[in-house]
Amino acid sequence: MSKGEVYLHGGHVTSWKPTHAEEVLFLSGHTNWNSSKAIRGGVPICFPWFGPKDQPGAPQHGFARIREWQLERISEEGGGVLVEVSDRSDEQSRQLWPFDYVLTHRVIFGETLKMELVVRNTGTKPFVFEEAQHSYFQVGKVQEIAIDGLSNRYVLNKIDGKTRKQHGKITFQAETDLVYFDTADNIAIIDLLLKRRITISKTNSKSTVIWNPWSEKARALSDLGDDEWQTMVCVETCNIRNNVVRLAPGESHMMGTEITVASI
Ligand code: BG6
């Protein structure tokens, strides 16, 4: 049987272990289990913006990952277990973002991990938002993995601010913070040390972020152990920057990620 965990804090998936397989997601042993902080690892939900926002009191990556969500449903679905959680706008969210919404995260833990994030505009004004399923994956050693599926895409390197075209697979030799645009294809993490290939299949997601803080930045993060950066990589299903989403009143949008693991 597969196993998984989801927290109401942030509607956040922290673990998924398919039958006879090791944990697929990374979760920091130094996470701040504190309601005002996001969990470090698993799949934080970033909404309604991504990255920093130039507005007093606006948290990095939006507020969804630090709000308390509601449990809507737990049921069996297609041989797996569906857990559905939701978050709706209130006075506190409207102080930071003046719109009405319902966010639903439908997670199916089975032999694949399927996550669907649905945003619905429940207000009377149209809005524009960014979103991410900011997935952290457990890897053998980040210096020895390769990521396939983003070749020939334009990529913004947030470290030097330059945009270029990706040629071939991504490998890691230093701090990495990359935003790929117009990415619809499957992405694979090829991990020769753990002898597995993790495939990430996206629905209605046009951007992908690849992140690893490397040693210096990891030391500056109080919720990440000094060496933990070596065994994690983020491959994030997003709609951000040039790929923001617009919703008219009454409309909704679903963005999804399905993760599969195979031995190599
Ligand atoms: C990534 C961003 O998605 O998340 C990085 O591209 C950022 O710029 C990283 O540093 C972690 O963000 P946070 O807020 O969880 O520390």
Side-chain angles (χ1 to χ4, degrees):
M1 223 180 33
S2 66
K3 288 185 179 168
E5 267 179 21
V6 58
Y7 277 75
L8 292 178
H9 181 63
H12 195 132
V13 173
T14 51
S15 167
W16 171 55
K17 233 166 139 312
T19 317
H20 308 306
E22 295 300 315
E23 176 63 54
V24 177
L25 303 177
F26 166 88
L27 178 64
S28 167
H30 296 252
T31 289
N32 279 310
W33 296 103
N34 172 329
S35 60
S36 65
K37 300 272 191 251
I39 297 169
R40 176 70 67 192
V43 187
I45 301 296
C46 307
F47 173 88
W49 58 85
F50 184 89
K53 190 172 181 181
D54 191 10
Q55 178 187 313
Q60 153 111 333
H61 287 335
F63 45 70
R65 65 180 184 160
I66 51 173
R67 283 168 62 85
E68 295 313 301
W69 292 42
Q70 305 296 315
L71 178 63
E72 295 291 343
R73 198 157 94 121
I74 301 184
S75 59
E76 281 186 37
E77 182 136 334
V81 173
L82 162 74
V83 182
E84 193 175 296
V85 289
S86 70
D87 173 49
R88 20 194 107 225
S89 48
D90 57 15
E91 224 167 273
Q92 225 180 353
S93 66
R94 283 189 288 268
Q95 274 171 17
L96 292 167
W97 195 63
F99 301 101
D100 285 309
Y101 69 86
V102 177
L103 262 183
T104 307
H105 205 203
R106 273 171 60 86
V107 182
I108 302 175
F109 297 101
E111 292 317 306
T112 70
L113 172 63
K114 199 169 175 183
M115 300 177 286
E116 293 180 349
L117 182 69
V118 180
V119 181
R120 195 151 83 85
N121 182 343
T122 51
T124 51
K125 298 180 282 187
F127 61 64
V128 172
F129 65 92
E130 294 180 294
E131 59 182 343
Q133 290 163 319
H134 186 310
S135 312
Y136 287 70
F137 294 93
Q138 181 79 44
V139 296
K141 196 167 185 194
V142 72
Q143 298 92 323
E144 295 184 30
I145 63 166
I147 295 186
D148 201 7
L150 293 164
S151 193
N152 291 320
R153 299 290 159 196
Y154 281 100
V155 51
L156 166 68
N157 184 343
K158 281 171 67 179
I159 311 285
D160 63 13
K162 293 192 177 139
T163 300
R164 63 181 169 83
K165 210 171 191 183
Q166 174 74 32
H167 296 292
K169 297 189 181 80
I170 303 163
T171 53
F172 297 81
Q173 284 96 31
E175 181 185 353
T176 304
D177 198 350
L178 302 168
V179 185
Y180 288 83
F181 298 100
D182 303 313
T183 59
D185 298 342
N186 286 357
I187 299 165
I189 303 172
I190 302 153
D191 188 337
L192 296 177
L193 268 180
L194 295 187
K195 298 189 174 53
R196 67 184 185 184
R197 166 190 283 260
I198 299 172
T199 304
I200 300 140
S201 151
K202 310 191 306 154
T203 307
N204 298 330
S205 152
K206 292 188 176 162
S207 350
T208 303
V209 170
I210 306 288
W211 181 64
N212 181 283
W214 221 252
S215 49
E216 206 176 310
K217 186 91 164 262
R219 276 197 294 275
L221 293 171
S222 64
D223 56 355
L224 193 67
D226 287 355
D227 293 324
E228 284 185 318
W229 62 274
Q230 298 201 55
T231 54
M232 58 150 275
V233 71
C234 289
V235 179
E236 309 168 29
T237 299
C238 314
N239 283 308
I240 62 172
R241 294 182 175 237
N242 304 352
N243 298 138
V244 291
V245 182
R246 289 178 173 74
L247 282 184
E251 282 185 344
S252 45
H253 177 271
M254 187 278 283
M255 179 182 79
T257 305
E258 186 163 14
I259 302 167
T260 317
V261 190
S263 302
I264 49 175

